[in-house]
Amino acid sequence: MLLDIENLTTIFRTRRGVVRAVDNVSISIKKGEFVSIVGESGCGKSTLAHSVMKLIDHPGEILGGKITFDGLDLLSLSDEEMRKIRGDKIGMVFQNPMTSLDPLEKVGDQISETIMEHMNVTKKEAWQMAREMLEKVGLQPERVDSYPHQLSGGQRQRVMIAMAISLNPKLLIADEPTTALDVIVQEKIMDFLEDMKREGRAVILITHDFALAAERSDRIAVMYAGWLVEMGDAEALTNDPLHPYTKGLIQSVPDVWMDKEIKPLPGFPPDLINPPEGCRFRPRCPNASEMCMREPPEVEVDGRVVKCWLYG
Amino acid sequence: MLRVENLKKYFPVQKSALEVLLSRRRDFIRAVDGVSFEMKRGEVLSLVGESGCGKTTTGRIIVGLERPTGGKIYFKDREISSLSEEEQRKMKKYIQMVFQDPYASLNPRMKVGEHLVESLTIHGIAGNEEAKEIAMSMLDRVGLPGEQFYNRMPYQLSGGQRQRVAIARAMILKPEFVVADEPVSMIDVSLRAAILDLLMSFKEEYNLSMLFITHDLSVARIVGDRIAVMYLGKIMEMGKTREVIHNPKHPYTAALLSSVPSFLKKERRVEIIGDIANPIDIPSGCRYHPRCPFAREKCKKEEPELVCEEHSFACHFPLEGGF
């Protein structure tokens, strides 16, 4: 396993109380695997990604669990050691490229600085690498001389990806990388992520778009209210979802090719400070029963992990 | 119900004083560059395209938020694009808009209910007391019980709830025409279906016509009777929803369709080359030719006309065989 997340719990201490944003979640990822983490906003999917990068700031805290990456116990590393892992071994792409790019610096400077921070190369070599990286993500190498505001949203996001892969990471985490972009640009970025996978790297895609995850990933993990509710082979999970939430989510999204009845999921995700007793999906679940007043177990059904009493 | 004829909107490009002195030419962004279509009562037309294709500008001109550079808009056979401001204000009662960003479209200092009351009193439809009653029942209707929500402030609401308020505000005037500009693109996936249901229920109830602006063809599939695909300010293809999706004629439509994520495996993929062209410098001939994998000599020189038929498309070499 390249990445092994075991029983991870990340909380946020707010004035109103403690939010268990990621609650006892376990996921492992192999080399050359493309895994999507799917869920609504607030389900904890981004917090999970940030926890792997150890980018959880106050009032957040990784409360428990273990994250092993490439044989290293990440949670026991010092800040300095972790900084080397980020970028070097794990690259991350965030949702909003404008906030992560410096508006006053040329794209080439930003990429080459990242390279020089981690690698022993001259300024000139780093600049040349920056040009190559831009070409790799489908931009003209001359874009090194552009400032972020001279680029479109899709081009900026590709610059971010160029930066994230410039150090040749083994794992790339992309947190809603295409949410603000058009489908055409989205497709190009997704093709690129798939190339990364083919090169033997692992890719984690955080997304709310189930169809996108279904199309691109080997495995899908579905999160709801801080829990991992279902995980398994992407095709099997989409064709035959087991958890009532996965079923509801798939039924609620329109599909361009399919004649299907679109059924909205009733209700809203719960307030995580006062989550419902027992199963957190119980108030919205069409199959809820007496049993669901207790927390469901995580069970394995046909190689799939499901957290639901229907299978418990 | 609505007829748009050769609509144009050019925005002058901002330049520094020096640039203005040095160049004789004034540059324009041709956001909308000759758009024509008609809509019947009770019909939904989805206007689809990439960002920057001019779909939002088209919508804003129809509701009177922008003045067109050229062309005409007829609403129930009355020309509305050159009305005085006073007359335009009156038209707003009949033509409403739902915006994309529910965080920007509500006034942060106004209570939820006041947004609806204001809409009614401005148009002189009801006095304060009566308006409040109507607002309460409208809030109930959009799934935000008036008792609970009337006095809340926008910041206390989620994105989906805000969009419900925005829809209530537009619908409370019982409009005959609504422009919905990407109304679900900023809302969580699992809540989108419910918002679309809500919009469509008003469409049925008031028998209103709706211009539904979206970049998402899977949404267009479920809401629209017809689809119009826009590229660089022009309509490239227009026809019945199913026909356009399953039998696209224009390579751009086909490229858009093949890039939409789907639960079904893609059997056919039509490529698109590079990025969208600069709307200041629109390519010669067919404006899509630099990105079209099928472009030939003729496409560089001659601009294809949008042939007006039930399924119309502006392409010299339309695709055969559907998806």
Side-chain angles (χ1 to χ4, degrees):
Chain A
M1 280 304 154
L2 181 67
L3 178 73
D4 211 350
I5 304 170
E6 289 167 80
N7 305 102
L8 182 76
T9 297
T10 303
I11 60 159
F12 289 90
R13 294 180 205 279
T14 71
R15 262 190 316 182
R16 286 177 53 227
V18 174
V19 175
R20 295 176 83 86
V22 174
D23 197 1
N24 204 13
V25 169
S26 304
I27 299 177
S28 11
I29 289 148
K30 290 195 293 261
K31 261 182 73 178
E33 202 180 18
F34 194 129
V35 175
S36 291
I37 301 175
V38 180
E40 294 165 80
S41 36
C43 73
K45 58 191 193 299
S46 276
T47 308
L48 180 73
H50 283 79
S51 301
V52 173
M53 297 293 272
K54 282 183 55 179
L55 288 172
I56 301 291
D57 293 327
H58 183 79
E61 189 190 320
I62 299 176
L63 197 66
K66 198 172 173 198
I67 304 174
T68 319
F69 172 76
D70 211 11
L72 290 165
D73 178 6
L74 293 191
L75 296 183
S76 69
L77 295 185
S78 70
D79 287 355
E80 187 51 42
E81 289 167 317
M82 197 57 214
R83 203 162 325 162
K84 270 203 70 67
I85 299 272
R86 284 196 287 264
D88 230 14
K89 298 246 167 65
I90 309 177
M92 184 151 177
V93 182
F94 298 91
Q95 181 174 0
N96 189 342
M98 207 48 189
T99 53
S100 348
L101 286 170
D102 184 340
L104 301 176
E105 246 189 299
K106 281 182 187 169
V107 160
D109 283 319
Q110 303 192 42
I111 302 176
S112 50
E113 267 165 34
T114 314
I115 295 173
M116 284 160 70
E117 226 173 85
H118 292 262
M119 281 173 160
N120 195 10
V121 291
T122 64
K123 171 99 198 161
K124 213 176 143 195
E125 286 165 332
W127 191 262
Q128 185 51 39
M129 285 170 78
R131 291 175 61 100
E132 283 163 20
M133 286 303 149
L134 290 179
E135 212 168 355
K136 204 168 169 188
V137 295
L139 294 174
Q140 293 153 322
E142 296 79 52
R143 284 292 182 194
V144 281
D145 287 314
S146 303
Y147 289 91
H149 73 88
Q150 294 170 317
L151 304 175
S152 70
Q155 290 170 331
R156 277 181 218 137
Q157 194 56 287
R158 277 181 267 177
V159 169
M160 289 306 300
I161 295 175
M163 219 185 277
I165 60 159
S166 60
L167 301 161
N168 214 2
K170 291 182 173 172
L171 170 68
L172 185 71
I173 303 177
D175 186 4
E176 303 264 13
T178 56
T179 299
L181 306 176
D182 277 306
V183 282
I184 286 171
V185 183
Q186 166 168 285
E187 174 156 65
K188 287 183 177 159
I189 289 178
M190 287 300 146
D191 284 349
F192 181 74
L193 291 184
E194 276 195 47
D195 288 345
M196 302 274 306
K197 176 198 129 167
R198 267 180 228 113
E199 286 173 12
R201 293 168 227 269
V203 178
I204 298 179
L205 172 70
I206 313 280
T207 181
H208 64 263
D209 188 339
F210 217 119
L212 186 68
E215 210 174 79
R216 302 288 181 164
S217 7
D218 302 312
R219 273 192 301 141
I220 293 178
V222 184
M223 283 187 73
Y224 183 77
W227 286 358
L228 181 84
V229 292
E230 183 165 359
M231 175 167 66
D233 175 73
E235 211 178 315
L237 188 144
T238 347
N239 292 339
D240 177 28
L242 297 176
H243 197 285
Y245 176 63
T246 317
K247 284 183 191 165
L249 199 56
I250 291 176
Q251 259 170 13
S252 76
V253 293
D255 191 284
V256 68
W257 304 118
M258 272 154 72
D259 279 317
K260 61 169 193 172
E261 204 193 331
I262 312 299
K263 277 200 232 138
L265 264 169
F268 301 99
D271 176 6
L272 284 184
I273 291 171
N274 294 304
E277 201 183 320
C279 177
R280 289 186 176 175
F281 186 58
R282 179 175 49 84
R284 299 174 83 181
C285 184
N287 307 98
S289 67
E290 199 55 32
M291 193 93 109
C292 308
M293 291 301 286
R294 286 182 296 134
E295 184 175 332
E298 238 174 56
V299 290
E300 223 183 286
V301 186
D302 303 332
R304 218 172 309 162
V305 176
V306 196
K307 192 178 171 75
C308 178
W309 279 115
L310 287 177
Y311 309 92
Chain B
M1 186 76 180
L2 186 90
R3 196 163 85 241
V4 174
E5 274 177 14
N6 202 20
L7 193 69
K8 288 181 177 163
K9 179 70 187 180
Y10 296 172
F11 294 102
V13 176
Q14 293 280 347
K15 285 184 175 177
S16 69
L18 184 69
E19 280 175 312
V20 172
L21 286 173
L22 290 176
S23 78
R24 302 211 176 100
R25 196 170 69 128
R26 281 201 67 174
D27 283 337
F28 289 95
I29 293 173
R30 286 148 72 180
V32 179
D33 200 17
V35 161
S36 307
F37 60 86
E38 280 183 21
M39 285 174 69
K40 291 198 273 288
R41 172 130 212 163
E43 189 188 33
V44 181
L45 175 68
S46 303
L47 197 54
V48 179
E50 287 168 276
S51 48
C53 73
K55 56 192 194 299
T56 294
T57 309
T58 305
R60 290 175 62 89
I61 296 171
I62 292 171
V63 295
L65 288 170
E66 306 269 4
R67 291 254 167 191
T69 313
K72 289 197 162 62
I73 301 168
Y74 298 90
F75 177 68
K76 297 206 276 193
D77 291 326
R78 186 166 168 225
E79 217 266 294
I80 58 164
S81 45
S82 54
L83 294 180
S84 71
E85 281 195 20
E86 179 55 34
E87 285 173 308
Q88 230 172 29
R89 215 176 353 257
K90 280 188 200 144
M91 284 311 297
K92 285 207 172 117
K93 198 176 129 190
Y94 305 105
I95 305 180
Q96 281 285 313
M97 184 153 179
V98 177
F99 296 90
Q100 176 177 18
D101 185 353
Y103 290 85
S105 66
L106 301 181
N107 183 341
R109 292 199 202 95
M110 259 164 72
K111 288 177 187 169
V112 163
E114 287 169 354
H115 284 88
L116 309 192
V117 167
E118 191 191 42
S119 223
L120 290 168
T121 49
I122 280 182
H123 291 282
I125 291 170
N128 273 330
E129 279 303 300
E130 197 194 344
K132 191 170 171 182
E133 256 170 55
I134 302 174
M136 286 293 238
S137 63
M138 191 59 168
L139 284 172
D140 291 343
R141 166 83 170 77
V142 299
L144 304 171
E147 293 292 330
Q148 274 178 55
F149 282 91
Y150 187 93
N151 284 318
R152 290 211 192 161
M153 301 303 281
Y155 74 86
Q156 294 170 307
L157 306 184
S158 70
Q161 291 171 331
R162 282 168 202 241
Q163 202 58 305
R164 284 169 193 267
V165 177
I167 290 169
R169 177 178 56 184
M171 298 300 175
I172 203 163
L173 296 168
K174 298 199 166 63
E176 296 176 30
F177 192 94
V178 168
V179 174
D181 184 12
E182 303 259 18
V184 295
S185 70
M186 294 183 71
I187 291 172
D188 231 309
V189 249
S190 72
L191 306 177
R192 281 183 190 173
I195 299 280
L196 290 173
D197 265 9
L198 182 65
L199 267 173
M200 290 304 128
S201 72
F202 280 112
K203 186 225 134 194
E204 293 296 322
E205 188 182 333
Y206 299 164
N207 192 26
L208 51 79
S209 315
M210 195 184 307
L211 184 68
F212 194 98
I213 298 167
T214 179
H215 69 272
D216 189 341
L217 277 157
S218 54
V219 173
R221 177 183 182 114
I222 59 166
V223 298
D225 302 308
R226 285 191 301 149
I227 290 184
V229 180
M230 256 182 107
Y231 183 73
L232 278 182
K234 269 210 148 112
I235 292 178
M236 297 282 123
E237 180 159 8
M238 181 158 53
K240 287 217 171 81
T241 299
R242 287 194 71 89
E243 184 62 19
V244 171
I245 287 179
H246 290 284
N247 192 17
K249 291 291 175 196
H250 200 288
Y252 179 60
T253 312
L256 269 182
L257 279 164
S258 43
S259 62
V260 183
S262 164
F263 287 109
L264 294 183
K265 285 262 176 302
K266 278 169 196 160
E267 278 155 31
R268 192 172 167 193
R269 246 173 110 155
V270 173
E271 297 292 322
I272 185 165
I273 303 160
D275 289 326
I276 196 166
N278 187 341
I280 298 169
D281 203 6
I282 288 186
S284 65
C286 171
R287 54 192 63 204
Y288 184 61
H289 88 260
R291 301 184 77 186
C292 182
F294 314 112
R296 300 184 212 171
E297 223 24 65
K298 188 181 180 189
C299 308
K300 293 180 194 163
K301 294 183 188 128
E302 242 177 84
E303 178 155 27
E305 294 267 341
L306 185 76
V307 191
C308 273
E309 281 168 36
E310 203 175 76
H311 184 176
S312 43
F313 42 88
C315 181
H316 294 309
F317 307 104
L319 297 175
E320 298 288 335
F323 271 93

